[in-house]
Amino acid sequence: MRAAQTRVTGLLMLAVGATTALAVYWLPRVAQDAPLSSYHAPTLVASSVVVALLAAIALHRDSVKHTRRAFEQLKQCALSETPCAGDLINERSGGEVARELREHIDAQKKKIDNLLMQKKNLEIQLKIADAQRKQTQVMIHGISDAVIITDAFDETLIANPAAGDLFAFDANKAARQPVAKLLTGSALAGHITEMRQHHARTNRRTFEFEHEVDKQPRHFSVTMTCVNDSTDQFGGVVTVLHDITREKEVGKMKNEFVSHVSHELRTPLSSIKAYAELLVDGEASDEKTRQEFYHVIQTEANRLGRLIDNILNISRIEAGMMKVNKKPVDVSAVVKQVLEVAMPTAKEKQIQLVDQLKPVFDHVNADRDMIYQACLNLVSNAIKYTPSGGTVKVSLDLDEAARQVKVLVTDTGVGIPADAMKHLFEKFFRVEQNKSMAKGSGLGLNLTRQIVESVHEGKMLVQSEVGKGSTFGFTLPLAA
């Protein structure tokens, strides 16, 4: 603009100079021919000045018009993402104006290029961040443990479906919701707030938490971790709840198992130790007494051996480490062998052992020793819990339609109360009312069920009525 103004000033000076020259040229001639007043010399000079001024104004308008066009092109170039042509500004605008505009355009082009590059980088980073966020969200949603992520204001960022199921809220609508609203009635929200408030002192905290699910108490191991954002400032809390209810139940069962085993092992060992000390001290002075002591020691030692065998067999079956030798087995032959072994004990208690075996020619694919152990356990229990003068019936039947063989042992014993039926096959369980009738470890029925159902894919059967007796049995599938 400064160059344009300079040019207009020059033009004005040129117009004034031309007018003066004109007056100097014409006035002498006029003076020679006539008086000066007759030719209106002032009017002539004024007219010449006006003409010069009009010419200068026209040139100024042309210059301004061209300058505006140049700035308009500069504006379009600045707003456009495409490169501007080198000859954008015509040289008619003046060399200095064109040079300044080019420098300004080049600087703006560099800024625009830098901004475009930054924009592309930001778009790439945004896409990467979005992909990572979606991947993280998919991973969190796939975790079976409940996961809740909150920000620095205790608002929920992410909650997976497991957390929604646990606390009864829609995980898809949990974002930006206050965690206290989602965990209404639960003390966990208070723990999250406390963790946020004390994040400077601890970044990780683990504790056990109890929460009611379907009106049943569930136990959880809760892990809370503070996380920082990209500026290394506190960003929020990640809370993970792992259900340990089953683990606590197993731990309790393990403790009870050890307690029962210790008790059951101690009983025969105490008897063996006591009678051995009597023999050492010479308390058995005659042969008959010594034989009685020997018999007690032998009986308790056999009982101890059976107890240990049962424990080991159950553990091996549950761990899948039991060696099983399956082959076609005649179940009727196995049951007859059991009756022969149990007959002396039945006669000693004056119990009638009745054989109701039907001829079965089909075989089952089984481990013979295991099936023998299962049958012996059922017959022995029936004899132990049947008073003298009672009856124990053993039957074998074939169900051709179901392609299975059925073994039943029915006694006229004391029977089992209804509330104890559901616990019959638990380890070390014994009916409290019947403990005085016979010794036992409470492992026989559990081992029998493991043999029948876990190893041979059969099914245990039981019916009982207090004062009338019980029926225990099992079915096994026939060999193909």
Side-chain angles (χ1 to χ4, degrees):
M1 289 297 293
R2 187 178 302 168
Q5 291 173 356
T6 302
R7 188 172 62 176
V8 171
T9 303
L11 291 172
L12 287 172
M13 293 178 64
L14 180 61
V16 172
T19 305
T20 304
L22 182 63
V24 172
Y25 177 79
W26 285 105
L27 284 176
R29 288 165 173 74
V30 172
Q32 294 175 4
D33 296 333
L36 183 61
S37 58
S38 63
Y39 288 94
H40 303 284
T43 303
L44 179 62
V45 173
S47 300
S48 300
V49 172
V50 170
V51 171
L53 287 175
L54 290 175
I57 291 172
L59 290 173
H60 174 68
R61 287 181 177 176
D62 180 69
S63 176
V64 170
K65 181 179 180 181
H66 192 74
T67 303
R68 286 179 177 174
R69 185 184 303 114
F71 275 107
E72 185 65 27
Q73 291 176 347
L74 172 61
K75 179 181 177 182
Q76 294 178 357
C77 179
L79 295 176
S80 174
E81 296 184 0
T82 59
C84 297
D87 296 330
L88 179 65
I89 305 301
N90 194 293
E91 289 296 335
R92 289 182 306 165
S93 302
E96 186 177 351
V97 174
R99 185 167 51 255
E100 291 180 1
L101 291 179
R102 284 199 190 93
E103 291 175 356
H104 184 71
I105 290 171
D106 291 340
Q108 294 302 316
K109 283 175 58 180
K110 290 181 180 179
K111 290 182 180 179
I112 291 172
D113 291 341
N114 290 335
L115 290 174
L116 290 175
M117 183 62 66
Q118 293 178 16
K119 176 186 174 184
K120 290 181 180 179
N121 290 335
L122 289 174
E123 288 177 348
I124 293 173
Q125 293 177 11
L126 180 61
K127 289 180 180 179
I128 294 174
D130 187 60
Q132 292 177 343
R133 181 187 63 80
K134 289 181 179 179
Q135 184 179 12
T136 302
Q137 191 169 2
V138 169
M139 293 173 61
I140 292 175
H141 280 210
I143 296 176
S144 58
D145 292 337
V147 179
I148 300 174
I149 302 177
T150 53
D151 61 13
F153 305 99
D154 287 345
E155 290 187 350
T156 306
L157 295 178
I158 300 176
N160 66 351
D165 294 340
L166 180 61
F167 294 102
F169 65 80
D170 188 352
N172 296 323
K173 299 179 181 179
R176 312 316 307 175
Q177 293 290 327
V179 69
K181 180 180 178 181
L182 296 180
L183 307 182
T184 302
S186 174
L188 185 63
H191 289 294
I192 295 175
T193 300
E194 182 182 355
M195 186 67 181
R196 174 182 59 78
Q197 294 172 345
H198 299 88
H199 69 273
R201 280 187 277 171
T202 177
N203 287 329
R204 184 179 177 87
R205 180 186 173 195
T206 302
F207 59 93
E208 288 192 10
F209 174 75
E210 184 175 323
H211 182 69
E212 191 174 275
V213 179
D214 296 331
K215 298 183 179 180
Q216 296 294 327
R218 306 289 295 181
H219 299 273
F220 297 87
S221 174
V222 181
T223 301
M224 290 184 174
T225 306
C226 294
V227 294
N228 295 336
D229 57 19
S230 58
T231 61
D232 203 28
Q233 298 296 318
F234 175 73
V237 179
V238 178
T239 305
V240 181
L241 295 91
H242 175 65
D243 193 338
I244 58 172
T245 305
R246 179 58 181 168
E247 296 174 15
K248 292 183 75 70
E249 291 175 353
V250 170
K252 182 179 178 181
M253 292 171 60
K254 187 183 295 184
N255 293 335
E256 292 176 351
F257 177 79
V258 172
S259 176
H260 282 300
V261 169
S262 300
H263 174 74
E264 293 298 332
L265 291 176
R266 189 180 294 113
T267 302
L269 281 175
S270 298
S271 299
I272 293 172
K273 181 180 179 180
Y275 281 96
E277 287 177 351
L278 290 174
L279 289 171
V280 171
D281 294 340
E283 296 293 335
S285 56
D286 58 280
E287 185 64 24
K288 181 180 179 181
T289 304
R290 285 195 292 273
Q291 289 298 325
E292 289 178 359
F293 288 2
Y294 294 151
H295 179 71
V296 172
I297 292 174
Q298 184 181 32
T299 301
E300 293 299 318
N302 290 336
R303 178 186 171 192
L304 182 60
R306 288 194 300 271
L307 175 62
I308 294 173
D309 288 342
N310 287 343
I311 293 174
L312 291 176
N313 288 336
I314 291 173
S315 299
R316 288 168 183 162
I317 292 174
E318 289 180 341
M321 300 174 60
M322 189 72 174
K323 293 183 179 179
V324 182
N325 183 24
K326 287 186 178 182
K327 57 184 179 181
V329 174
D330 182 358
V331 179
S332 60
V334 174
V335 175
K336 285 180 181 179
Q337 183 182 358
V338 169
L339 293 176
E340 292 174 1
V341 172
M343 187 62 71
T345 305
K347 287 182 178 181
E348 185 179 348
K349 286 191 65 176
Q350 298 180 354
I351 293 175
Q352 185 179 4
L353 192 58
V354 180
D355 178 351
Q356 295 183 335
L357 307 180
K358 294 182 179 179
V360 176
F361 302 101
D362 293 292
H363 293 67
V364 297
N365 191 32
D367 185 306
R368 192 182 192 284
D369 293 338
M370 286 187 170
I371 297 302
Y372 173 84
Q373 181 68 50
C375 293
L376 183 61
N377 286 347
L378 295 182
V379 174
S380 298
N381 280 349
I383 294 173
K384 284 195 297 183
Y385 294 102
T386 298
S388 298
T391 302
V392 174
K393 298 179 181 179
V394 181
S395 63
L396 175 66
D397 196 6
L398 175 66
D399 187 346
E400 294 185 358
R403 295 289 298 167
Q404 61 184 16
V405 62
K406 181 189 295 184
V407 177
L408 295 177
V409 179
T410 304
D411 61 57
T412 57
V414 294
I416 302 170
D419 59 348
M421 293 289 288
K422 60 182 179 180
H423 301 291
L424 282 178
F425 297 101
E426 295 177 2
K427 296 187 188 81
F428 300 107
F429 176 78
R430 297 188 66 199
V431 179
E432 192 66 32
Q433 297 88 326
N434 302 340
K435 285 185 177 180
S436 60
M437 294 191 64
K439 295 180 178 180
S441 63
L443 293 175
L445 285 178
N446 182 272
L447 177 59
T448 301
R449 187 182 67 172
Q450 296 280 4
I451 291 172
V452 172
E453 297 185 355
S454 299
V455 178
H456 293 92
E457 300 178 354
K459 183 176 178 58
M460 287 296 301
L461 306 172
V462 58
Q463 289 181 346
S464 185
E465 186 176 349
V466 177
K468 292 186 178 181
S470 305
T471 298
F472 284 85
F474 58 84
T475 60
L476 294 173
L478 295 175

